[in-house]
Amino acid sequence: MDSILPSIAGVDINGLIYRYKTVKDPDTDMKVHVGNLNANGDGYIFRETDDWSGVAGNTIVKSFPVSNIPASNWGTGFVEVEGEGKVEDAVVIYSYRVDRCYDPQSDPSCAGYIEPVPNIPEVEIYNALEDDSVLSVIDTDKNFKYDEEGNIIKDEEEEEEETRIEIGLTASDNALTLFNSQSQDDILMTINLQTNINMYYNAKINGGTLNDVAVLQDNTISDNKKALRNNLAQQILHEQMVDMQYNK
């Protein structure tokens, strides 16, 4: 059966069809047995007998439903003749399915599926306080004194050492600042010395005289009538305001 069915896990046989042709004398007795041996024990996993005794040869086709028997239970198939006659063109067809839940772990929807637990590697935690190389460079003096805020109270020698370091750093910063200022002044002076501004005083620009070419047509300027009306209206308004002031 391995050469007939797929060699994958979860294959079940759910049906069987066979067909064959008998060649015999109508007066003779003949039986045909079609089946499969039980691969896991004695007997048969399937067996069907057709009795052709007293009938003429013919072609027969039969089908059988099977209740999803695993393919691993199906042994070697056979078509056997008992009596006088022979079988020709025998064909046996197996209908199968693949049970996706044959292995419950293959699909989370299968019954019996167990959520896999990831393999978490064991991680060794490094403790620096247990490392001899680290401990050898750590100050093991535990006799510290603390103030009310939890800060370490330093002795006079440590404070003097820190003060000397701060003074040295301050002096270095001031020296660098003075040096940078002096360097900038020197650079500007050098640039000024290299600049010759006499060429700007002696430079000449080509030019000439621009004559007035404006011409007044008719040699007269006419009065603006709109402005005259506006001035007249303003004058009348002014007089009315003055009259109102003196109640005229």
Side-chain angles (χ1 to χ4, degrees):
M1 295 295 288
D2 293 339
S3 61
I4 298 175
L5 299 174
S7 57
I8 58 177
V11 175
D12 295 338
I13 304 299
N14 57 13
L16 183 147
I17 302 173
Y18 68 75
R19 182 191 66 192
Y20 63 86
K21 177 182 178 181
T22 58
V23 179
K24 65 179 291 290
D25 190 321
D27 297 330
T28 61
D29 294 335
M30 176 183 176
K31 292 182 179 180
V32 178
H33 307 288
V34 180
N36 286 82
L37 299 176
N38 184 0
N40 297 327
D42 299 332
Y44 307 97
I45 196 73
F46 170 81
R47 189 171 188 267
E48 177 70 7
T49 299
D50 300 320
D51 190 355
W52 292 86
S53 301
V55 297
N58 202 345
T59 299
I60 186 172
V61 178
K62 282 187 174 182
S63 63
F64 303 88
V66 180
S67 57
N68 299 321
I69 301 175
S72 59
N73 295 344
W74 291 72
T76 304
F78 58 86
V79 178
E80 297 178 345
V81 176
E82 178 184 349
E84 298 180 10
K86 64 178 181 179
V87 172
E88 294 180 350
D89 302 328
V91 176
V92 179
I93 301 173
Y94 298 91
S95 174
Y96 66 90
R97 65 159 195 170
V98 178
D99 183 7
R100 62 184 179 84
C101 292
Y102 172 78
D103 179 6
Q105 294 302 112
S106 63
D107 193 329
S109 63
C110 294
Y113 175 81
I114 300 175
E115 189 73 24
V117 178
N119 184 17
I120 302 175
E122 183 178 355
V123 179
E124 182 179 355
I125 300 176
Y126 172 73
N127 187 354
L129 297 179
E130 296 178 356
D131 191 334
D132 294 336
S133 301
V134 175
L135 294 176
S136 62
V137 297
I138 295 178
D139 186 2
T140 58
D141 185 7
K142 305 299 183 181
N143 297 323
F144 294 121
K145 295 181 180 179
Y146 300 89
D147 57 16
E148 295 180 354
E149 297 179 356
N151 300 319
I152 297 176
I153 301 176
K154 300 178 182 179
D155 54 24
E156 295 181 357
E157 293 182 358
E158 291 179 348
E159 292 181 354
E160 291 179 359
E161 181 67 21
E162 290 186 356
T163 302
R164 288 196 297 270
I165 294 174
E166 292 175 356
I167 293 173
L169 292 174
T170 302
S172 299
D173 292 339
N174 293 336
L176 290 173
T177 303
L178 294 174
F179 176 77
N180 290 334
S181 300
Q182 185 64 29
S183 299
Q184 293 176 0
D185 293 340
D186 293 340
I187 292 172
L188 293 175
M189 183 175 295
T190 303
I191 294 174
N192 291 333
L193 292 175
Q194 296 297 326
T195 304
N196 186 5
I197 63 175
N198 292 329
M199 58 182 296
Y200 296 103
Y201 291 112
N202 298 327
K204 293 183 179 180
I205 301 176
N206 295 327
T209 302
L210 181 61
N211 297 321
D212 187 6
V213 296
V215 178
L216 181 62
Q217 297 292 336
D218 300 332
N219 296 326
T220 59
I221 299 176
S222 59
D223 294 333
N224 188 345
K225 296 181 178 180
K226 293 182 179 181
L228 181 60
R229 288 195 298 270
N230 188 32
N231 290 337
L232 181 59
Q234 291 293 333
Q235 179 63 30
I236 294 173
L237 180 61
H238 175 71
E239 293 179 355
Q240 290 177 352
M241 292 175 63
V242 172
D243 294 340
M244 291 173 62
Q245 183 178 0
Y246 294 100
N247 296 322
K248 292 184 178 181

